[in-house]
Amino acid sequence: EVQLLESGGDLVQPGGSLRLSCAASGFTFSSYAMSWVRQAPGKGLEWVSAISGSGGTTYHADSVKGRFTISRDNSKNTLYLQMNSLRAEDTAVYYCAKYRTIRRDAFDIWGQGTMVTVSS
Amino acid sequence: AIQLTQSPSSLSASVGDRVTITCRASQGISSALAWYQQKPGKPPKLLIYDASSLESGVPSRFSGSGSGTDFTLTISSLQPEDFATYYCQQFNSYPFTFGQGTRLDIK
């Protein structure tokens, strides 16, 4: 069964850091680009970051550029999101998502999400 | 960044109704559009990719159409389990933006 399991969400103070992890199973992890998507409480979905299958190419939303870094360890089938200089507006459920194909045409598999709360 | 505008933002309908949700892109995106369904406390579920291709396992009452800037998601006959929030997302260019969502409620 194809599965994604996020972890690492927590309560953190403004200006703090956090690293999220997403453990993948049931598919050839290194063959697929991956993304992080977040959803603030009661709000819509916001694409955050993406990374190629090899890890050599990354993309970030302007709202997190320079503060968040997406990475992956294909030997561990794990995706990461390093979050620095956190702000109250980063409070959200963070989902990892798998691209459906190498064409990057949709997210077909999503994790259950991990909650990040930024508050003093 | 490409902006996606969904309409309506909310919609009330009854079981058996035919429902259409629209997604308009701020610039042409060919057919690089997906539709998702999300229920409270759950991650989104992929319904449609490439604007009109039905994801495996999704009921055939869901259909998508459009290309360029104007897209629609149609549910031909609403079922009780279809009451949820629906999002479109473009995959033409990064950032892969989402529409603001359409909440579908029971009338």
Side-chain angles (χ1 to χ4, degrees), chain A residues 46-117:
Chain A
E46 180 187 12
W47 175 83
V48 174
S49 300
I51 188 167
S52 62
S54 66
T57 304
T58 62
Y59 305 88
H60 294 87
D62 286 346
S63 58
V64 306
K65 202 170 290 183
R67 300 188 298 122
F68 290 12
T69 302
I70 189 172
S71 63
R72 65 192 297 159
D73 185 337
N74 287 342
S75 69
K76 296 182 178 179
N77 288 349
T78 302
L79 176 72
Y80 302 101
L81 185 67
Q82 178 66 43
M83 310 164 68
N84 298 331
S85 303
L86 283 161
R87 306 166 179 168
E89 54 265 35
D90 296 319
T91 294
V93 174
Y94 284 74
Y95 297 102
C96 62
K98 167 189 166 291
Y99 284 87
R100 196 184 71 88
T101 69
I102 61 173
R103 288 176 50 236
R104 307 184 190 187
D105 51 1
F107 295 138
D108 65 340
I109 303 296
W110 296 67
Q112 288 301 305
T114 188
M115 183 70 203
V116 173
T117 303

Side-chain angles (χ1 to χ4, degrees), chain A residues 39 99-100 103-104 107 111, chain B residues 36 38 43 49-50 91 94:
Chain A
Q39 187 168 36
Y99 284 87
R100 196 184 71 88
R103 288 176 50 236
R104 307 184 190 187
F107 295 138
Chain B
Y36 302 91
Q38 188 180 32
Y49 62 92
D50 287 346
F91 285 86
Y94 284 109

Side-chain angles (χ1 to χ4, degrees), chain A residues 19-37:
Chain A
R19 189 177 82 157
L20 305 183
S21 300
C22 171
S25 59
F27 64 101
T28 305
F29 182 67
S30 60
S31 295
Y32 292 89
M34 299 288 294
S35 256
W36 289 97
V37 175

Side-chain angles (χ1 to χ4, degrees), chain B residues 1-5 23-27 29 90 97-99:
Chain B
I2 297 171
Q3 295 182 6
L4 297 181
T5 303
C23 179
R24 175 164 289 175
S26 59
Q27 63 190 74
I29 59 170
Q90 64 85 16
T97 44
F98 289 89

Side-chain angles (χ1 to χ4, degrees), chain B residues 2-107:
Chain B
I2 297 171
Q3 295 182 6
L4 297 181
T5 303
Q6 289 183 230
S7 61
S9 295
S10 63
L11 174 62
S12 293
S14 301
V15 173
D17 283 354
R18 180 184 180 90
V19 167
T20 297
I21 299 169
T22 297
C23 179
R24 175 164 289 175
S26 59
Q27 63 190 74
I29 59 170
S30 186
S31 297
L33 190 96
W35 289 97
Y36 302 91
Q37 175 193 70
Q38 188 180 32
K39 296 182 179 179
K42 298 294 186 181
K45 174 187 174 183
L46 177 64
L47 300 175
I48 301 286
Y49 62 92
D50 287 346
S52 61
S53 297
L54 191 68
E55 172 70 347
S56 176
V58 174
S60 59
R61 62 181 180 273
F62 291 92
S63 64
S65 64
S67 67
T69 60
D70 293 312
F71 302 86
T72 59
L73 172 70
T74 300
I75 310 172
S76 60
S77 178
L78 274 174
Q79 298 302 300
E81 61 268 29
D82 299 338
F83 292 96
T85 300
Y86 292 85
Y87 294 93
C88 57
Q89 184 188 17
Q90 64 85 16
F91 285 86
N92 183 73
S93 60
Y94 284 109
F96 286 166
T97 44
F98 289 89
Q100 82 277 17
T102 295
R103 180 172 174 170
L104 178 54
D105 292 331
I106 300 173
K107 184 183 289 183

